[in-house]
Amino acid sequence: MASAEVLREDGEGAVIPGGCFLNFLFVVPERWGTGIGGDILDAVLTEAKRRHYSRIHLWTHEDNERSHRLYRSREFAPTGRTADGEAEWAREIDG
């Protein structure tokens, strides 16, 4: 499952035009490695594009290599922002 919403300044402030925030993406551990995470992420990206978002951001644990592989495979990259052991990742959404 996944949840996405509008991107806001510092997570709670004003809406950032064109920005989408992937709040979470979750696959039960028994299904890891089966491609479900990629399918869910592809669906989120498709819906974000349909809603005319131009960029999508997310935060993930800095040491979560499994999620890093997934996000890199979909052209996400770290932004350089970190907080409390998590790192922000983002990518453009092709219009």
Side-chain angles (χ1 to χ4, degrees), residues 4-7 16 18-22 44 48 53 55-57 93:
E5 58 193 78
V6 297
L7 182 64
I16 298 173
C20 180
F21 178 67
L22 179 57
V44 169
Y53 288 113
R55 189 162 182 81
I56 185 166
H57 291 246
I93 299 173

Side-chain angles (χ1 to χ4, degrees), residues 7-27:
L7 182 64
R8 295 182 176 275
E9 292 178 9
D10 297 319
E12 300 174 0
V15 170
I16 298 173
C20 180
F21 178 67
L22 179 57
N23 196 25
F24 67 83
L25 189 154
F26 178 79
V27 176

Side-chain angles (χ1 to χ4, degrees), residues 3-90:
S3 173
E5 58 193 78
V6 297
L7 182 64
R8 295 182 176 275
E9 292 178 9
D10 297 319
E12 300 174 0
V15 170
I16 298 173
C20 180
F21 178 67
L22 179 57
N23 196 25
F24 67 83
L25 189 154
F26 178 79
V27 176
V28 294
E30 306 82 67
R31 301 302 299 269
W32 288 355
T34 64
I36 292 173
D39 291 344
I40 293 170
L41 185 52
D42 290 342
V44 169
L45 293 168
T46 297
E47 183 62 16
K49 182 177 179 177
R50 189 186 74 75
R51 292 180 184 219
H52 306 288
Y53 288 113
S54 59
R55 189 162 182 81
I56 185 166
H57 291 246
L58 61 90
W59 286 83
T60 187
H61 289 279
E62 290 181 287
D63 62 355
N64 187 341
E65 287 301 320
R66 180 180 300 276
S67 71
H68 298 174
R69 283 193 304 273
L70 172 61
Y71 297 131
R72 278 191 191 99
S73 76
R74 299 312 192 270
E75 301 177 1
F76 282 82
T79 66
R81 291 180 60 198
T82 61
D84 300 321
E86 294 194 343
E88 182 185 45
W89 291 58

